[in-house]
Amino acid sequence: MIERLKDTTVILASASPRRTKLLAQAGIRHLVLPSTCEERVSSRKPEEVVTELSRQKAEDVYTRYRQEHSKENILVIGADTVVAVGGRILGKPKDRDDAFRMISMLQGNTHQVYTGVTLLEYRNAIEKEDTFFECSHVQVYPMDDSEIRCYIGGGEPMDKAGAYGIQGEFAVFIKKIEGDYHNIVGLPIARIYQELKKHI
Amino acid sequence: MIERLKDTTVILASASPRRTKLLAQAGIRHLVLPSTCEERVSSRKPEEVVTELSRQKAEDVYTRYRQEHSKENILVIGADTVVAVGGRILGKPKDRDDAFRMISMLQGNTHQVYTGVTLLEYRNAIEKEDTFFECSHVQVYPMDDSEIRCYIGGGEPMDKAGAYGIQGEFAVFIKKIEGDYHNIVGLPIARIYQELKKHI
């Protein structure tokens, strides 16, 4: 959909199948090349954590890919998503008990989902970097313990920040969102598209 | 997921593949039996139109199915979705020009999506009916004419109220939503699940 991407190799620096699906939905053909760098954060603020990590992921993949394809026009997309309740970050659950603890904090409450994105571009010998984040508010219906256990039993929570997937069975517990839906899934594709348009 | 539905035939009174997919996502197994009744509306208010039409669709399918399966426990789900800008309803576009006109009204603006739902249940010789609606607010990024034409060229708008599908390529133009995302796709599954829970 974006004209100038036609001669550019777009690379998603993430192994998340949800992010790949969203980029494809936006009509952006891309390679998947997950970052392998160690994650280091210097802040506890959700918006700073996700932007820092998105930058590290994008830079890791950018450097590695450029070593072998130094003349190619490339655009690397790095992203990181966290869930925050009352400013406190929830990552991916360690085990089922941890998932139960997280979902107990989310039910009957409003939380935030932050995704940081870094666009790192090499084009006709010029480098450009753009980092931003989106925040969406999510209101969850009250859930009783058996509903939480049943949801966890389905296996959905374990690889997801905040222990839930809005695009799966958890959808029946989401009362309302305010912000970008796809940001909650893991990639704010509307914002990415609009940022890429600006760069033309 | 809802215990009492185990001995109930759930019937979706709609041919929309998006609604079927959402019910499946909520873990609700169902038959698809679209209504064939003529649609009659007595109001121009979006919330009244969608609730009226959802009721007509559910009642049509309920009556037809009950004629042949009079002793079965059944739950019929009827739904109708419209897009409204400034209180004025946009239905499905007649042709590409009509789609262009509609999307021109939506771009750079906030509109509402209303879905009316009727749950019509026959259970152990008792009939129950429940009708409600959900309204979601959708903010669309500014689009230029070539973006609108390119989107229409992809063929997505023609079978959709308001000439767009949030679950397709139009996602890149959605700045923000407030309310239930799935309501915009065509079925507020969270509200449906919560209403069904109440009836236990």
Side-chain angles (χ1 to χ4, degrees):
Chain A
M1 286 181 90
I2 295 173
E3 198 60 26
R4 79 186 158 102
L5 292 184
K6 282 186 179 161
D7 67 350
T8 302
T9 306
V10 180
I11 303 164
L12 176 63
S14 164
S16 157
R18 299 177 288 281
R19 291 195 178 119
T20 284
K21 213 173 150 192
L22 287 175
L23 269 191
Q25 185 183 333
I28 299 175
R29 293 178 64 170
H30 60 281
L31 303 178
V32 173
L33 196 59
S35 70
T36 52
C37 63
E38 206 188 327
E39 301 185 352
R40 303 170 304 272
V41 287
S42 62
S43 165
R44 286 184 171 188
K45 284 190 186 168
E47 63 272 30
E48 293 177 2
V49 168
V50 293
T51 49
E52 263 193 297
L53 290 178
S54 77
R55 197 179 293 120
Q56 287 168 24
K57 290 176 182 180
E59 286 175 357
D60 173 56
V61 170
Y62 180 88
T63 307
R64 285 196 288 136
Y65 193 86
R66 288 266 301 136
Q67 279 168 1
E68 313 247 317
H69 309 79
S70 62
K71 291 182 180 170
E72 221 169 292
N73 288 339
I74 66 169
L75 167 70
V76 179
I77 304 174
D80 190 77
T81 302
V82 300
V83 165
V85 195
R88 200 178 138 200
I89 293 177
L90 304 183
K92 292 176 186 173
K94 287 184 200 72
D95 50 33
R96 289 184 173 211
D97 287 345
D98 202 27
F100 188 89
R101 185 187 61 84
M102 288 183 183
I103 298 174
S104 300
M105 291 169 76
L106 304 180
Q107 66 80 28
N109 205 347
T110 297
H111 65 272
Q112 284 70 42
V113 179
Y114 290 85
T115 298
V117 175
T118 293
L119 305 175
L120 197 43
E121 196 168 5
Y122 178 87
R123 187 174 179 74
N124 306 332
I126 297 169
E127 280 190 0
K128 269 188 197 167
E129 188 172 323
D130 183 16
T131 298
F132 54 87
F133 74 93
E134 285 276 321
C135 173
S136 306
H137 301 263
V138 183
Q139 193 178 344
V140 180
Y141 277 109
M143 298 170 71
D144 60 33
D145 286 2
S146 70
E147 280 178 313
I148 299 177
R149 280 202 196 91
C150 178
Y151 176 66
I152 294 170
E156 212 174 71
M158 300 318 291
D159 67 332
K160 297 184 182 71
Y164 78 89
I166 196 170
Q167 71 289 349
E169 286 204 5
F170 203 76
V172 301
F173 302 115
I174 306 286
K175 187 168 185 180
K176 185 180 166 174
I177 75 163
E178 198 180 326
D180 181 355
Y181 169 79
H182 298 102
N183 183 49
I184 305 168
V185 180
L187 201 66
I189 45 168
R191 177 75 183 274
I192 289 173
Y193 174 87
Q194 300 294 329
E195 294 288 334
L196 288 173
K197 249 174 70 178
K198 276 191 220 165
H199 289 202
I200 293 170
Chain B
M1 285 181 92
I2 295 172
E3 197 60 26
R4 79 186 157 102
L5 292 184
K6 282 185 180 162
D7 68 350
T8 302
T9 305
V10 179
I11 303 165
L12 176 63
S14 164
S16 157
R18 300 177 288 281
R19 291 196 178 117
T20 285
K21 212 173 150 192
L22 286 175
L23 269 190
Q25 186 183 332
I28 299 175
R29 293 177 64 169
H30 60 281
L31 304 178
V32 173
L33 196 58
S35 70
T36 52
C37 63
E38 206 188 326
E39 300 184 354
R40 302 171 306 272
V41 287
S42 62
S43 165
R44 286 185 169 188
K45 285 189 185 167
E47 63 271 31
E48 292 176 3
V49 168
V50 294
T51 48
E52 263 193 298
L53 290 178
S54 76
R55 196 179 293 119
Q56 287 167 24
K57 290 175 182 180
E59 286 175 355
D60 173 56
V61 170
Y62 181 89
T63 307
R64 285 195 289 135
Y65 193 85
R66 288 267 301 135
Q67 278 166 3
E68 313 246 316
H69 310 78
S70 62
K71 291 181 179 171
E72 220 168 293
N73 288 340
I74 66 170
L75 167 70
V76 178
I77 303 174
D80 190 77
T81 301
V82 299
V83 166
V85 195
R88 200 177 138 201
I89 293 177
L90 304 183
K92 293 176 185 172
K94 287 184 200 73
D95 51 33
R96 288 184 172 210
D97 287 344
D98 202 28
F100 188 89
R101 186 187 61 85
M102 288 183 182
I103 297 174
S104 300
M105 292 169 75
L106 304 180
Q107 66 81 27
N109 205 348
T110 297
H111 65 271
Q112 285 70 42
V113 179
Y114 291 85
T115 298
V117 175
T118 293
L119 305 174
L120 197 43
E121 196 168 5
Y122 179 86
R123 187 174 180 75
N124 305 331
I126 295 168
E127 280 190 359
K128 269 188 197 166
E129 188 172 322
D130 183 16
T131 296
F132 54 86
F133 73 94
E134 284 276 323
C135 173
S136 306
H137 300 264
V138 183
Q139 193 179 343
V140 180
Y141 277 110
M143 298 169 72
D144 60 33
D145 286 2
S146 70
E147 280 178 314
I148 299 177
R149 278 200 198 92
C150 178
Y151 176 66
I152 294 171
E156 212 175 70
M158 301 318 291
D159 67 332
K160 297 183 182 72
Y164 78 89
I166 196 169
Q167 71 289 350
E169 286 204 4
F170 203 77
V172 300
F173 302 115
I174 306 287
K175 187 167 186 182
K176 185 180 167 176
I177 75 164
E178 198 180 326
D180 181 356
Y181 170 80
H182 299 102
N183 184 48
I184 305 168
V185 180
L187 201 66
I189 46 169
R191 177 75 184 272
I192 289 173
Y193 175 87
Q194 299 295 329
E195 294 288 334
L196 288 173
K197 249 173 69 178
K198 276 190 219 165
H199 289 201
I200 294 169

